[in-house]
Amino acid sequence: MTAAPEPSPHTLALGIETSCDETAASVVRDGREVLSNTIHSQIDLHARYRGVVPEVASRSHTTRILGIVQAALDDAGVTADDLDLIAVTNRPGMVGSLLVGMAAAKTLSLVHDLPLVGVDHVQAHLHAAFMADPSLPMPCLSMVASGGHTALYLMHGPARSERLGRTLDDAAGEALDKAAALLGLSYPGGPSIQAAARSGDPKALDLPRPMLGPTSLDLSFSGLKTALLYQLRGPGATRPMPELSAQQLADCAASFQAAVVDTLIRKLRRAVKLRPEAVALSIGGGVARNELLRARLADDKILSKLEQVFPPLDLCTDNGAMIAGLGTWLWREDGRVDDLSLDARATSRREE
Ligand code: KG4
Ligand code: ZN
């Protein structure tokens, strides 16, 4: 079943993604042309907990995966027999959830005698920029900011990244999700904070921009969340949560969003200073959908000198297309093929 890579002019890949709370599958031609991008989001299931509950997520994946894979094939107008390979997220993520997508991918690979390629989810978020623009110049300063991960990289080519820094605690999206929960806004927090922030004053609250010393490219967002908590409930959070007017809520959302975005922008500017060889800039992950972040990057005096590539919105949040895209690259260019012993891992390889 582990067919040797046979680079062909047209490669049809199925990508399967179940690392968190999206059950997703996609058919991609030649690593770039998205023929289908089918996603079932579990947002409604997790909303009442204001965060993802691993057991709830993996159970939901098991009920959805077969339907989602079939829908991705149908939407693309192909059958499994037309495919050249199966790519699947095998790390990092919630292991119980990863295993559901991997069981489906392994079964399809075995039954249809197709090569299987395990893909790193964070690298796939980086790869979405190449899918948007295959001529993205190198080296490219790239940021992945999502609910589970926030890190800066210098990309030297597709699937060739050097990590420059990463969050030491919460991810940027996680901070937005937690702040939204504190403010009584809906999950996921990024979009609801963005919506509430539109009528708010970003200077209403004085929140920190955690920089971690003069040369660090690491990030930290947990103090920011605590700062919001203390502003609302007093030092040590000893007071009950105050009743907020609609305007106060908007001001809190705008101030928090501005603090997260400002911190990311300052880190990117610092990265350009420390790594002046970067000629391009790309962002990926759910937070890359943020309208303030995109506007600030485009306007920034230093960062706008780099060629900027932002993946389309539906390739920023979790999806199967970026998995198929990177899987195709690894198979065609690196000759990567995994076998049925492919394992699910909670962490990225470089974190082990
Ligand atoms: O990449 P993703 O779908 O899943 C992970 O790999 O974590 O990212 C989800 C994260 C959530 O924390 C969500 O609040 C955030 O992305 N997010 C946003 C926006 N849309 C989603 N954050 C800021 N602004 C948005 N518009
Ligand atoms: Zn993700």
Side-chain angles (χ1 to χ4, degrees), residues 20-22 41-53 147 173-174 176-178 180-181 184-192:
C20 191
D21 60 344
E22 263 90 28
S41 166
Q42 301 175 0
I43 283 174
D44 292 349
L45 286 179
H46 300 289
R48 73 175 119 142
Y49 307 107
R50 298 190 193 277
V52 177
V53 181
E174 185 181 1
L176 289 160
D177 293 341
K178 287 178 175 169
L185 294 168
S186 60
Y187 173 82
S192 54

Side-chain angles (χ1 to χ4, degrees), residues 20-22 121 125 145-149 173-174 176-177 188-191 194 257 285-287 289-291 316-318:
C20 191
D21 60 344
E22 263 90 28
H121 178 92
H125 274 307
S146 71
H149 319 276
E174 185 181 1
L176 289 160
D177 293 341
Q194 173 174 285
Q257 178 179 248
V287 180
R289 294 175 71 109
N290 187 267
E291 60 194 21
C316 288
T317 28
D318 289 352

Side-chain angles (χ1 to χ4, degrees), residues 264-335:
L264 295 174
I265 297 271
R266 288 181 191 195
K267 282 286 169 178
L268 286 168
R269 289 173 68 131
R270 181 179 281 178
V272 170
K273 201 165 159 196
L274 294 173
R275 300 302 294 263
E277 67 267 42
V279 290
L281 171 72
S282 76
I283 51 174
V287 180
R289 294 175 71 109
N290 187 267
E291 60 194 21
L292 177 66
L293 176 64
R294 287 180 177 233
R296 288 279 313 275
L297 288 172
D299 282 354
D300 189 85
K301 269 204 317 272
I302 293 172
L303 299 173
S304 62
K305 288 194 184 125
L306 303 176
E307 183 169 332
Q308 300 188 353
V309 173
F310 304 153
L313 296 186
D314 56 355
L315 290 192
C316 288
T317 28
D318 289 352
N319 64 87
M322 65 183 189
I323 305 303
L326 179 54
T328 302
W329 179 275
L330 293 171
W331 183 63
R332 283 175 59 153
E333 309 300 326
D334 286 355

Side-chain angles (χ1 to χ4, degrees), residues 127-149:
H127 193 77
F130 289 102
M131 295 176 73
D133 179 2
S135 59
L136 183 61
M138 295 295 133
C140 174
L141 175 62
S142 302
M143 179 176 73
V144 173
S146 71
H149 319 276

Side-chain angles (χ1 to χ4, degrees), residues 18 54 57-59 61-62 93-101 344:
T18 59
S58 51
R59 277 168 189 258
H61 286 309
T62 58
M94 300 185 297
V95 168
S97 289
L98 288 167
L99 286 172
V100 179

